[in-house]
């Protein structure tokens, strides 16, 4: 019940018939007493120019005060023209944010959707967080939730919870997939937005499955204020950002581990860059390389693919001083391959979580870690047959 773990929230997830499978496909998350209970809201949305009306609309409402969010899965409501905009408006009144995920270019089945929203609102409860987390899924194999708590210097306990969905079409550009995070801290809209931006920069914006930025991606953060704390000191705000970041990183890692067809979570760390942005560019180049990802699937310790992907990233790089590790083995050092045990490295790569790292040989302070996964046969099958 992660999204209802903080005080002041209720949620629901129901099956409305949008998905042919009969699975849950409409979710609502609001304040505790009524759908009009004001919540402080912040969001970060996709920078894809082909984006959902929900993303465009939510940007006009955040940072600000809202009653909650209504979500449907099974239909993305993207590239659906003026009718799609009207249908998005019809999903909620002026006080609710909206989100949609699923197939692009298909109009929302409004009769089923509106009846589902009505049913979900009647089903709202503080125990509805798990149903909410289930109803937002598409090709995901598992629900993805996380939570944390901490105590302010003034004594109040603060809770943070989150649920997200995503397993394909994942590459961040100011967010990716759908994520909904809640907290009971009392905080203003601008400060909440600042906290979200900082948390996203090292979590969801350090996540990639296949290098494709979705059209519907959003991270929405809602605060109920039910903890009843006074204004935050600078140190308490920094503690809040730290714990919020922990929740967001956990969710991002879960998305990577559940990547379409994935068999393992992969973390790619780049060090020695001239800046953090340079390090992130190189790490993302490695993480998105189909040759790297397929080698990871095959447990092939082909360090040459790491260096190839690092070298093509277009940032400063000294290959003569560079080094690389894979699954705990130093495979390349000071510009030359090492005499590592290939068989032992390959065996280590069979783990459900594999780490790769590249030091760029520049001695700079820049550092970044990207969360990703391998490419398996199933990734091709899932996406080759996505609409058929």
């Amino acid at each position: 019940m992660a999204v209802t773990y903080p005080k002041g929230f209720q949620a629901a997830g129901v099956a409305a018939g949008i998905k042919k499978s009969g699975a849950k496909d409409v979710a609502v998350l609001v304040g505790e007493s009524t759908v009009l209970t004001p919540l402080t809201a912040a969001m970060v949305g996709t920078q894809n120019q082909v984006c959902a009306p929900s993303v465009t609309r939510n940007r006009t409402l955040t940072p600000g005060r809202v009653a909650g969010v209504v979500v449907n899965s099974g239909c993305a409501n993207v590239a659906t023209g003026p009718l799609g905009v009207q249908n998005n408006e019809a999903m909620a009144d002026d006080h609710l944010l909206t989100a949609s995920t699923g197939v692009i270019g298909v109009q929302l089945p409004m009769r089923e959707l509106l009846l589902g929203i009505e049913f979900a609102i009647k089903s709202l409860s503080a125990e509805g967080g798990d149903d909410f987390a289930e109803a937002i899924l598409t090709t995901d194999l598992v629900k993805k939730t996380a939570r944390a708590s901490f105590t302010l210097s003034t004594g109040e306990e603060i809770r943070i919870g989150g649920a997200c969905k995503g397993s394909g079409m994942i590459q961040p550009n100011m967010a990716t997939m759908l994520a909904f995070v809640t907290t009971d801290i009392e905080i203003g809209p601008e400060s909440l937005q600042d906290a979200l931006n900082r948390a996203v920069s090292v979590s969801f914006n350090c996540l990639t499955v296949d290098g494709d930025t979705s059209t519907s991606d959003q991270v929405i953060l809602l605060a109920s204020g039910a903890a009843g704390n006074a204004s935050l000191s600078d140190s308490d705000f920094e503690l809040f950002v730290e714990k919020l970041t922990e929740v967001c990183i956990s969710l991002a890692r879960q998305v990577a581990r559940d990547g379409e067809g994935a068999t393992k979570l992969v973390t790619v760390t780049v060090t020695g860059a001239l800046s953090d942005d340079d390090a992130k560019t190189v790490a993302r180049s490695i993480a998105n390389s189909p040759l790297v990802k397929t080698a990871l699937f095959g447990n092939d310790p082909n360090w040459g693919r790491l260096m190839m992907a690092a070298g093509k990233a277009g940032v400063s790089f000294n290959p003569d001083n560079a080094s690389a590790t894979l699954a705990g083995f130093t495979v390349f050092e000071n510009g030359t391959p090492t005499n590592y045990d290939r068989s032992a490295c390959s065996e280590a790569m069979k783990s459900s979580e594999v780490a790769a790292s590249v030091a760029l040989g520049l001695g700079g302070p820049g550092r970044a870690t990207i969360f990703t996964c391998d490419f398996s046969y199933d990734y091709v099958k899932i996406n080759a047959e996505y609409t058929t």
Side-chain angles (χ1 to χ4, degrees), residues 274 277-279 281-283 285 307-317 360:
L274 296 182
D277 286 344
D278 278 1
T281 297
V282 176
S285 178
M307 305 313 293
M308 171 278 299
K312 73 172 185 176
V315 303
S316 296
F317 178 31
L360 297 185

Side-chain angles (χ1 to χ4, degrees), residues 107-141:
Q107 295 290 350
L108 287 167
M110 292 307 293
R111 179 179 180 277
E112 290 84 353
L113 175 58
L114 294 178
L115 287 174
I117 293 172
E118 182 179 347
F119 180 32
I121 289 174
K122 292 179 180 178
S123 304
L124 286 166
S125 75
E127 290 72 45
D130 287 342
D131 289 334
F132 178 94
E134 181 180 347
I136 64 177
L137 305 181
T138 51
T139 59
D140 309 64
L141 297 179

